[in-house]
Amino acid sequence: MQIARVIGTVVATQKHRKFEGAKLLLVQPLNLDDTPRGVALLAVDGVGAGVKEKVLIVLEGRAAGEALGKKAAPVDAAVVGIVDRVDVVMA
Amino acid sequence: MQIARVIGTVVATQKHRKFEGAKLLLVQPLNLDDTPRGVALLAVDGVGAGVKEKVLIVLEGRAAGEALGKKAAPVDAAVVGIVDRVDVVMA
Amino acid sequence: MQIARVIGTVVATQKHRKFEGAKLLLVQPLNLDDTPRGVALLAVDGVGAGVKEKVLIVLEGRAAGEALGKKAAPVDAAVVGIVDRVDVVMA
Amino acid sequence: MQIARVIGTVVATQKHRKFEGAKLLLVQPLNLDDTPRGVALLAVDGVGAGVKEKVLIVLEGRAAGEALGKKAAPVDAAVVGIVDRVDVVMA
Amino acid sequence: MQIARVIGTVVATQKHRKFEGAKLLLVQPLNLDDTPRGVALLAVDGVGAGVKEKVLIVLEGRAAGEALGKKAAPVDAAVVGIVDRVDVVMA
């Protein structure tokens, strides 16, 4: 899993039927010091996250489908938690 | 998922039987400012997308197979939506 | 999926029993202008491809296992089609 | 699998219900000489590992879900062992 | 699949119960000219390979679990063959 920031949303009215009701979030993966890491990507929302929130994302199809609660959904990334605190003990 | 642009098609008459009827699209992943990101790849069409359209792609086998509606299909990427609008709130 | 060129073969007599009968091809992924892209890799043959042919490869275990027709095969890449033509409309 | 060092923990009270009870560890992948390799990531704990320990991690959803003992869990990385010794015979 | 050289072993006495009996090998992926490619990683042994041998590895969880003969094993890489010969016809 990675830590990311929700930075936007995507609207796609014509989409695969298994996506019905799914919210698509644009998320930016972060480094431990909260600077951006790599490029932004799209993830389905599995926890009711909002823009600007720091979230926990999974980057794998099976896991993302589970997050959406639809086993056969054609998704490969999902927001699965909202991050409260990151404790780095040694780095 | 990633945002991409359909930039072409691929014809492969001799192919695995599970591909019968599947349309193969050449898609170019995009950055948020619509510039190309990385190299073009091939994806099966799961929503009836056409060349030049901005689409939503999944890059994972299980997810792509679901998009094609064939669980056991030997595919690893699929177009699963047509993008109407991307709203970047913070970047 | 990606486009690749078959550039050789690999012989491994001592291998996992689920590979029995599988042909192992050495494939070089290609860019759209047919120049090599990244490094060569090994893929099981799912369509009867030969050396020098331009092929369609899947890079994912589930998909590759399906291509081999053996669901439980320990493979992660397969040749699933022979490319006849690539039409790039816009790039 | 990769060798990594547990360098911290992450607290996410609002998360997908399948995560209930799972401990989230911040792990830093290591090179063979124990220098950091790439960026830190999050993994669920499957063996009771603690901060500063050298561990074995899997980076794949199905495998990570198995480590958590929950097949349908939306996870993509897990700590599956504590490393006692690495013997490099040739490098 | 990739070609790699077995360069060592890893001992992890405290590990996930599904690993019981599995041998953990340290493998170095190779280029076609046998020079190292990228960094070494850990793979479970599915064919009885020894240190210094040139092997065939799969890098994907489902495939690796099959190699171990345990579908639900938390593994993401496995040695599935011992390479006898690589024939590069064109490069």
Side-chain angles (χ1 to χ4, degrees):
Chain A
M1 282 77 73
Q2 293 188 14
I3 294 170
R5 175 90 56 196
V6 180
I7 63 167
T9 55
V10 170
V11 179
T13 46
Q14 187 178 339
K15 60 192 166 191
H16 193 273
R17 66 189 163 73
K18 290 273 178 136
F19 270 115
E20 294 312 315
K23 187 166 60 163
L24 284 171
L25 299 174
L26 189 62
V27 297
Q28 171 63 57
L30 300 177
N31 288 308
L32 288 181
D33 62 358
D34 286 1
T35 52
R37 167 162 131 198
V39 293
L41 53 97
L42 296 177
V44 292
D45 183 16
V47 291
V51 171
K52 297 190 185 175
E53 278 187 298
K54 199 174 185 173
V55 295
L56 188 61
I57 56 171
V58 288
L59 301 176
E60 202 248 4
R62 187 203 56 80
E66 298 294 350
L68 194 56
K70 295 179 181 177
K71 287 203 178 191
V75 296
D76 59 7
V79 171
V80 296
I82 295 176
V83 175
D84 296 316
R85 208 176 67 233
V86 178
D87 294 318
V88 184
V89 177
M90 56 186 285
Chain B
M1 282 77 72
Q2 292 188 15
I3 294 170
R5 175 89 58 195
V6 181
I7 63 167
T9 55
V10 170
V11 179
T13 46
Q14 187 179 338
K15 59 192 167 193
H16 193 275
R17 66 189 162 74
K18 290 274 178 136
F19 270 115
E20 295 312 315
K23 187 167 58 164
L24 284 171
L25 299 174
L26 189 62
V27 297
Q28 171 63 57
L30 300 176
N31 287 308
L32 287 181
D33 62 359
D34 286 1
T35 52
R37 166 162 130 198
V39 293
L41 53 97
L42 296 176
V44 291
D45 183 16
V47 291
V51 170
K52 298 189 184 175
E53 278 187 299
K54 198 173 186 173
V55 295
L56 189 60
I57 56 171
V58 287
L59 301 176
E60 202 248 4
R62 186 201 57 78
E66 299 294 351
L68 194 55
K70 295 180 182 177
K71 287 204 177 189
V75 296
D76 59 7
V79 171
V80 296
I82 295 177
V83 175
D84 296 315
R85 207 177 68 233
V86 178
D87 294 318
V88 183
V89 178
M90 57 186 284
Chain C
M1 281 77 72
Q2 292 188 14
I3 294 171
R5 174 90 58 195
V6 181
I7 63 167
T9 55
V10 170
V11 179
T13 46
Q14 187 179 338
K15 59 192 166 191
H16 193 274
R17 66 191 162 71
K18 289 273 178 135
F19 270 115
E20 294 312 316
K23 188 167 59 163
L24 284 172
L25 300 174
L26 190 61
V27 298
Q28 171 64 57
L30 301 176
N31 288 308
L32 287 180
D33 62 359
D34 286 0
T35 52
R37 168 163 131 195
V39 293
L41 53 97
L42 297 176
V44 292
D45 183 16
V47 291
V51 170
K52 297 188 185 175
E53 279 187 297
K54 198 173 185 174
V55 296
L56 188 60
I57 56 172
V58 286
L59 301 176
E60 202 248 4
R62 186 202 57 79
E66 299 294 352
L68 194 56
K70 296 179 181 176
K71 286 204 178 189
V75 297
D76 60 6
V79 171
V80 296
I82 295 177
V83 176
D84 296 315
R85 208 177 65 233
V86 177
D87 294 317
V88 183
V89 178
M90 56 185 285
Chain D
M1 281 78 72
Q2 292 188 15
I3 293 170
R5 175 90 57 196
V6 180
I7 63 167
T9 55
V10 170
V11 179
T13 46
Q14 186 178 338
K15 60 192 166 193
H16 192 274
R17 66 190 163 73
K18 289 274 178 135
F19 270 115
E20 294 312 316
K23 188 167 58 163
L24 284 171
L25 299 174
L26 189 61
V27 298
Q28 171 63 58
L30 301 176
N31 287 308
L32 287 180
D33 62 359
D34 287 0
T35 52
R37 166 163 132 198
V39 293
L41 53 97
L42 297 176
V44 292
D45 183 16
V47 291
V51 171
K52 297 189 185 175
E53 278 187 299
K54 199 174 185 172
V55 295
L56 188 62
I57 57 171
V58 287
L59 301 176
E60 202 249 2
R62 187 202 56 79
E66 298 294 351
L68 193 56
K70 295 179 182 176
K71 289 204 177 190
V75 296
D76 60 7
V79 171
V80 296
I82 294 176
V83 175
D84 296 315
R85 207 176 68 233
V86 177
D87 294 317
V88 183
V89 177
M90 57 185 285
Chain E
M1 282 78 72
Q2 292 188 14
I3 294 171
R5 175 89 59 195
V6 180
I7 63 167
T9 55
V10 170
V11 179
T13 46
Q14 187 178 338
K15 60 193 166 192
H16 193 274
R17 66 191 163 71
K18 289 274 179 135
F19 270 115
E20 295 311 317
K23 188 167 58 164
L24 283 172
L25 299 174
L26 189 61
V27 298
Q28 172 63 56
L30 301 175
N31 287 309
L32 288 180
D33 62 358
D34 286 0
T35 52
R37 166 163 130 197
V39 293
L41 52 97
L42 297 176
V44 292
D45 183 17
V47 291
V51 171
K52 296 188 185 176
E53 278 188 298
K54 199 173 185 174
V55 296
L56 188 61
I57 56 172
V58 287
L59 301 176
E60 201 248 4
R62 187 202 56 79
E66 298 293 352
L68 193 57
K70 295 179 181 176
K71 287 203 178 190
V75 296
D76 60 6
V79 171
V80 296
I82 295 176
V83 175
D84 296 316
R85 208 177 68 233
V86 177
D87 294 317
V88 183
V89 177
M90 56 185 285

